[in-house]
Amino acid sequence: MTEATRPSRGPGRRPGRSETRETILAEARELFAEKGYDGASLRAIARAADVDPALVHHFFGNKEGVFIEAMRFPVDPAVLLPRILAAPRDRLGETMVRVFLEVWSDPERRAPLLAMLRSAMTNERAAALLREFVTSAMFGRVGEATDVPLLNAQAAAGQLIGLMIVRYVVRVEPIASAPEDELIALVAPTLQRYLG
């Protein structure tokens, strides 16, 4: 069959199980980042991935299944925590801001984080995932390792999440385009006061 007579492939099963699954997840991350959990439908995810919606159901069961898989945090606390905790106590706030800005400045890691933040505003499952990350996986462990009260560690988390929302979601100027070193100098003393 020549290229001209070969039928074009419509939506349906893509070649390769893992390639198709990863394509669906990549498109789902983009849609969740853009529209949040409630604004992204399974049909829209399937359309963006150029597959039949039944294939999305086959791989993930339902929208929550896609969301949970797509939102695997692109940051591993086991990698970030040692970097943060290696900082001298009087530079803990600065190190934390620096590490978070580094993560968020990477577009590939930022997309699922944006999706998580947007989705947490309207969906309890997304809010629970974000809460778990804030209280247990990341900031709670920083608090335990440094003897900082959980309330203080969560206040630091709130400061950082707020900064990321203003910089990357709402894109308020001049914060959205400020150099990272300037933001670190501005925000680190507040975090240090919480963590000090």
Side-chain angles (χ1 to χ4, degrees):
M1 196 179 278
T2 68
E3 192 63 39
T5 60
R6 182 177 291 130
S8 66
R9 185 182 61 79
R13 189 164 175 90
R14 297 174 76 111
R17 175 180 163 84
S18 65
E19 180 183 316
T20 302
R21 192 173 193 285
E22 289 308 311
T23 299
I24 293 168
L25 288 174
E27 295 299 337
R29 280 184 202 103
E30 290 296 319
L31 281 172
F32 287 132
E34 180 185 334
K35 299 177 182 250
Y37 182 87
D38 291 334
S41 69
L42 274 183
R43 287 191 182 281
I45 292 167
R47 193 169 37 254
D50 194 27
V51 298
D52 190 281
L55 191 56
V56 180
H57 279 285
H58 169 74
F59 282 130
F60 306 102
N62 55 28
K63 184 165 80 167
E64 184 172 293
V66 178
F67 182 77
I68 291 167
E69 286 293 315
M71 293 302 99
R72 296 277 184 232
F73 271 90
V75 292
D76 183 352
V79 173
L80 296 185
L81 281 171
R83 289 182 57 200
I84 293 169
L85 297 175
R89 182 67 181 244
D90 65 338
R91 300 202 48 196
L92 197 55
E94 175 190 336
T95 304
M96 194 174 281
V97 179
R98 189 174 302 282
V99 167
F100 269 72
L101 283 170
E102 177 186 304
V103 169
W104 277 81
S105 66
D106 176 358
E108 284 187 25
R109 293 193 284 180
R110 184 170 56 237
L113 292 169
L114 284 172
M116 181 64 70
L117 282 177
R118 285 194 172 114
S119 298
M121 303 304 160
T122 59
N123 179 268
E124 180 51 37
R125 176 65 176 149
L129 290 171
L130 184 59
R131 239 186 338 267
E132 179 65 24
F133 181 74
V134 169
T135 58
S136 301
M138 190 69 185
F139 294 97
R141 288 169 62 188
V142 169
E144 286 173 15
T146 58
D147 291 325
V148 170
L150 184 58
L151 180 62
N152 291 42
Q154 288 178 350
Q159 187 78 31
L160 282 172
I161 291 169
L163 176 63
M164 301 313 155
I165 289 172
V166 170
R167 184 170 172 89
Y168 293 107
V169 178
V170 185
R171 295 185 185 125
V172 174
E173 290 296 347
I175 287 178
S177 59
E180 287 186 9
D181 286 338
E182 191 174 335
L183 288 177
I184 291 166
L186 181 65
V187 176
T190 301
L191 262 67
Q192 189 61 44
R193 188 167 46 85
Y194 296 140
L195 303 170

